[in-house]
Amino acid sequence: MPDKPSVLFVCVHNAGRSQMAAAWLTHLAGDRVEVRSAGSAPADQVNPAAVEAMREAGIDISAEIPKVLTVDAVKESDVCVTMGCGDTCPVFPGKRYLDWALDDPAGRGVAAVRPIRDEIRKRVEDLIAEIAPEPTA
């Protein structure tokens, strides 16, 4: 891993899981990690239930815009975390790939999105501990 690892979160619509994961990683790791998110078939907007669930956790993702997955985004990332996008993510040698099986929040209310949000936070915390732990004094 380089001094500042780069993580790409990918889901189909880049409107729920990947947006929440990117926001958690940015919030919890700060500038120790470069964060990207994208989707294989991006939605028009971030899922309102995901926005509300993250707002409840003190993180505002309302200004985020779903982005299309590009080959360059994968090439520029050290770790690529997929979330239900199947084989649409290009694979390059030397990259680390993780597949997080998480429920899709699409079409669900905020009550159903909260447990997904909380599971993503746990997984992001584990990822941070592995690739960008807090510097020791």
Side-chain angles (χ1 to χ4, degrees):
M1 266 313 130
D3 289 343
K4 185 173 182 175
S6 175
V7 177
L8 170 65
F9 293 102
V10 182
C11 66
V12 176
H13 300 298
N14 190 222
R17 295 167 289 187
S18 57
Q19 290 284 354
M20 289 190 287
W24 276 124
L25 184 54
T26 299
H27 179 76
L28 297 169
D31 62 359
R32 297 192 323 269
V33 179
E34 186 177 334
V35 182
R36 295 180 180 86
S37 72
S40 53
D44 294 331
Q45 66 179 15
V46 174
N47 179 334
V51 171
E52 180 58 29
M54 292 302 287
R55 181 175 291 124
E56 290 175 358
I59 300 171
D60 183 5
I61 62 170
S62 62
E64 296 300 325
I65 299 169
K67 296 164 280 309
V68 69
L69 175 64
T70 65
V71 170
D72 286 343
V74 178
K75 281 184 181 176
E76 294 167 7
S77 300
D78 300 305
V79 179
C80 182
V81 180
T82 58
M83 304 174 190
C85 59
D87 297 332
T88 60
C89 188
V91 175
F92 294 98
K95 302 289 177 194
R96 179 167 175 212
Y97 293 88
L98 301 172
D99 185 48
W100 291 355
L102 296 160
D103 290 336
D104 188 348
R108 298 178 183 215
V110 72
V113 174
R114 286 182 191 117
I116 300 167
R117 172 202 65 199
D118 296 344
E119 178 62 24
I120 290 171
R121 180 182 179 141
K122 287 178 201 161
R123 293 180 190 212
V124 166
E125 288 171 339
D126 291 344
L127 183 62
I128 292 167
E130 189 179 326
I131 67 168
E134 280 283 350
T136 53

